[in-house]
Amino acid sequence: DADVTQTPRNRITKTGKRIMLECSQTKGHDRMYWYRQDPGLGLRLIYYSFDVKDINKGEISDGYSVSRQAQAKFSLSLESAIPNQTALYFCATSDAETGTDTQYFGPGTRLTVL
Amino acid sequence: AQSVTQPDIHITVSEGASLELRCNYSYGATPYLFWYVQSPGQGLQLLLKYFSGDTLVQGIKGFEAEFKRSQSSFNLRKPSVHWSDAAEYFCAVGAMDSSYKLIFGSGTRLLVRP
């Protein structure tokens, strides 16, 4: 079984709809991240969390919110989706104890906002 | 601010030929450096990483990378490319701030000719 899973894998929605992307991990890592990938731009950080009570904004957090329901679960919400949020979204985890920033990624969620 | 540059958007090589993908970073101290690969429709898989010590790092799938401090580079190499290596490759650097995020380059897409 995959260590980092994301649901759904693909989603098409309409402008103005609320949508939630979910991430679960079995690696036992404390740190979890949400990135967005756009063609030609690499990956950019949306939000990150070091534990259930520690949520932080990344460089492109506007229009997004997150929830860390448990150590293993980190959800990303788009309160009112807009077309320029069409992208590939990745969840990642890392282990605070190693102190090496190595991150492990889920398979991604492809989101299309019409 | 830290940044990562991958100057080649696309590279095409023949199967069996050698490969070098370029990566330059901006940071004064020795950063944590990573190469990830993204196959079509897949998430990001860690190929290799450099933290300290030997500047030539071996990774999975026959890849290696060399850290050159004087050139601020961390180029990825493979002596003989296989058709299955066709993918997008991302270089990343660990952010030296409290986020422990990864800063990604824009990626290089590798095409392999039969």
Side-chain angles (χ1 to χ4, degrees), chain B residues 50-72:
Chain B
Y50 173 79
F51 302 138
S52 64
D54 192 347
T55 57
L56 185 62
V57 180
Q58 302 297 321
I60 63 171
K61 304 184 179 186
F63 285 92
E64 67 179 25
E66 186 171 12
F67 169 62
K68 293 185 177 181
R69 182 191 304 276
S70 62
Q71 299 176 20
S72 296

Side-chain angles (χ1 to χ4, degrees), chain A residues 3-60:
Chain A
D3 295 319
V4 184
T5 57
Q6 293 183 234
T7 56
R9 294 293 309 280
N10 290 282
R11 181 71 183 268
I12 300 174
T13 192
K14 295 182 179 180
T15 297
K17 295 292 188 180
R18 183 180 189 275
I19 185 167
M20 178 181 288
L21 310 182
E22 299 186 341
C23 176
S24 295
Q25 53 114 347
T26 59
K27 300 185 77 66
H29 289 171
D30 293 323
R31 298 174 184 165
M32 297 188 74
Y33 301 79
W34 275 105
Y35 290 90
R36 165 180 172 157
Q37 182 183 22
D38 297 280
L41 295 179
L43 280 73
R44 295 178 291 167
L45 183 65
I46 306 172
Y47 269 94
Y48 62 100
S49 169
F50 289 168
D51 65 36
V52 174
K53 296 180 180 179
D54 185 4
I55 305 289
N56 303 278
K57 293 182 177 180
E59 58 189 297
I60 56 165

